[in-house]
Amino acid sequence: MDTDDTSSKNLQREIQRIRKGLKEWEHTFSTKYNRKPTMQDIENRPNVCKSKEKSGRGIKKRANTHHLSSL
């Protein structure tokens, strides 16, 4: 397996991990408040989730760039 494949798979795993964490937060919120979070709720969520989201965007951007550069 070459380095590009390994990097791509690692990025995909990291994206999945971050998405899972965000989905868990949404589920916890829904259970606690008996409704789905609104955009305002999402903006007001703990900083931990915001940093995960920013990290996820960066990872996703790198994955897209990596994919495009390999074409």
Side-chain angles (χ1 to χ4, degrees):
M1 184 179 298
D2 68 3
T3 315
D4 289 338
D5 288 342
T6 302
S7 295
S8 180
K9 287 182 181 184
N10 287 340
L11 288 172
Q12 290 300 324
R13 273 190 234 121
E14 186 68 10
I15 290 168
Q16 289 174 346
R17 184 186 65 78
I18 291 168
R19 281 184 182 159
K20 182 180 177 186
L22 291 172
K23 290 292 181 188
E24 288 172 357
W25 177 85
E26 289 175 344
H27 176 74
T28 301
F29 182 96
S30 295
T31 301
K32 185 175 181 178
Y33 296 106
N34 264 344
R35 62 179 176 85
K36 291 183 178 183
T38 63
M39 289 303 292
Q40 188 65 43
D41 295 323
I42 293 168
E43 290 173 8
N44 292 336
R45 68 189 161 176
N47 287 334
V48 172
C49 290
K50 288 182 184 179
S51 67
K52 284 183 181 180
E53 182 178 273
K54 285 180 184 176
S55 174
R57 281 193 210 130
I59 290 168
K60 194 171 185 178
K61 186 175 182 178
R62 283 193 318 242
N64 288 337
T65 302
H66 174 75
H67 174 70
L68 292 175
S69 67
S70 66
L71 294 177

